[in-house]
Amino acid sequence: NAGVTQTPKFQVLKTGQSMTLQCAQDMNHNSMYWYRQDPGMGLRLIYYSASEGTTDKGEVPNGYNVSRLNKREFSLRLESAAPSQTSVYFCASSEYERGGEKETQYFGPGTRLLVL
Amino acid sequence: GQSLEQPSEVTAVEGAIVQINCTYQTSGFYGLSWYQQHDGGAPTFLSYNALDGLEETGRFSSFLSRSDSYGYLLLQELQMKDSASYFCAVRCDNAGNNRKLIWGLGTSLAVNP
C-alpha cells in the first residue's frame, strides 16, 4: 500500500504559468481533499471531493480548479500562478469509522511550490 | 464563526510531560482529533475523542470535555523525536447535513535535552 502519493514533490513556476498537481490514493477512500499550508496559517482547505464525481469549494478556492478523475485520483490545477500561491500543498483522503463520525485523514508527502 | 484555539509554541525538556490544549467553538461537534507533523513532513493521525474522558495510546493521551468545549493532548516521557507541530481538528456540521473537519493553527513543540 502506497497510501497517498503526490507529484511533483517540488516545482518552481513563473507568474502566469499553469500547472497541475497530481494526487492518488490506493486505500479505496471516497473522500479526498486539497490543502495548502503556509507558515503560521495551519492547514487551509482549498477543495474537497466527498465522492467520485463530486467536488466542492473549501475556504480558499480562488485561483484553483480540481478534477476528481476517478475514485483514486484527485488533481489540483493552477491556471495562472501568482506569487501568493507559493505554498506547500497537501492532498489527503479520509477513512470513516463509528457510524461515519470518526474521520481519519491520510496525507500525501506534499508538493512544495514556488511562484516567482 | 467556527474556531479552534491552541497555543502557538510549547517548550519542554526530555523526559518531561507536556500538555497541549485546544478549545473550540463550532456548529455541532462530533469529535476532536490530534495530528502530528514533523518539519518537512505530512500530518499524521494521533488520536480521536468523541466522548468525555481520556484516551491513552502509549506515551500519548488525549482528553475531551464536551461541556467545556475543550480538549488536550498529553505527551509523557518526552523524547527529542517528539519535537513537531501538533494540530487539533474538530469534526463539525457543514452545509446540507454534511460534516467537515476544521483545523487549529498548530502548536510547535520543541523538546530540549
Side-chain angles (χ1 to χ4, degrees):
Chain A
N1 262 4
V4 180
T5 57
Q6 291 182 235
T7 55
K9 287 188 167 50
F10 302 95
Q11 185 71 48
V12 179
L13 291 178
K14 295 181 180 175
T15 297
Q17 287 185 317
S18 62
M19 78 163 295
T20 299
L21 283 66
Q22 307 286 353
C23 174
Q25 52 93 9
D26 62 0
M27 295 174 282
N28 202 36
H29 292 162
N30 285 318
S31 300
M32 297 185 73
Y33 307 83
W34 275 105
Y35 291 94
R36 61 177 289 174
Q37 187 174 36
D38 304 294
M41 298 293 288
L43 289 161
R44 291 187 291 169
L45 183 65
I46 305 171
Y47 270 94
Y48 66 99
S49 170
S51 61
E52 185 180 352
T54 69
T55 61
D56 285 287
K57 295 178 180 179
E59 57 181 303
V60 289
N62 291 346
Y64 305 95
N65 285 301
V66 290
S67 295
R68 184 73 183 267
L69 304 169
N70 46 54
K71 192 170 187 180
R72 290 188 64 250
E73 298 172 287
F74 188 37
S75 63
L76 178 73
R77 182 157 178 85
L78 287 72
E79 290 291 351
S80 179
S84 61
Q85 294 179 304
T86 293
S87 188
V88 179
Y89 291 86
F90 287 103
C91 176
S93 67
S94 278
E95 162 182 279
Y96 298 90
E97 299 172 59
R98 301 189 197 181
E101 295 307 351
K102 179 185 176 184
E103 178 183 5
T104 302
Q105 293 199 2
Y106 296 87
F107 287 80
T111 295
R112 281 142 187 83
L113 176 66
L114 172 62
V115 183
L116 301 174
Chain B
Q2 311 204 74
S3 65
L4 274 66
E5 286 192 18
Q6 52 180 129
S8 57
E9 293 179 353
V10 173
T11 302
V13 295
E14 263 189 307
I17 299 173
V18 73
Q19 178 174 313
I20 300 173
N21 298 322
C22 176
T23 57
Y24 58 88
Q25 191 171 15
T26 60
S27 173
F29 174 86
Y30 302 96
L32 174 67
S33 298
W34 290 92
Y35 286 76
Q36 179 191 57
Q37 183 181 30
H38 286 100
D39 266 353
T44 56
F45 174 80
L46 284 178
S47 68
Y48 172 80
N49 295 68
L51 303 176
D52 287 359
L54 195 67
E55 296 268 350
E56 297 182 66
T57 311
R59 295 187 296 112
F60 293 3
S61 304
S62 56
F63 172 83
L64 176 66
S65 168
R66 293 178 67 134
S67 59
D68 294 322
S69 298
Y70 162 76
Y72 65 72
L73 180 69
L74 191 73
L75 296 81
Q76 303 182 74
E77 300 171 19
L78 280 172
Q79 302 175 9
M80 298 292 288
K81 67 179 182 179
D82 297 328
S83 294
S85 290
Y86 293 84
F87 293 88
C88 58
V90 167
R91 191 156 160 76
C92 59
D93 284 329
N94 196 6
N97 236 13
N98 295 319
R99 310 279 190 264
K100 65 179 178 182
L101 201 62
I102 61 170
W103 295 82
L105 295 183
T107 298
S108 177
L109 170 64
V111 180
N112 296 319

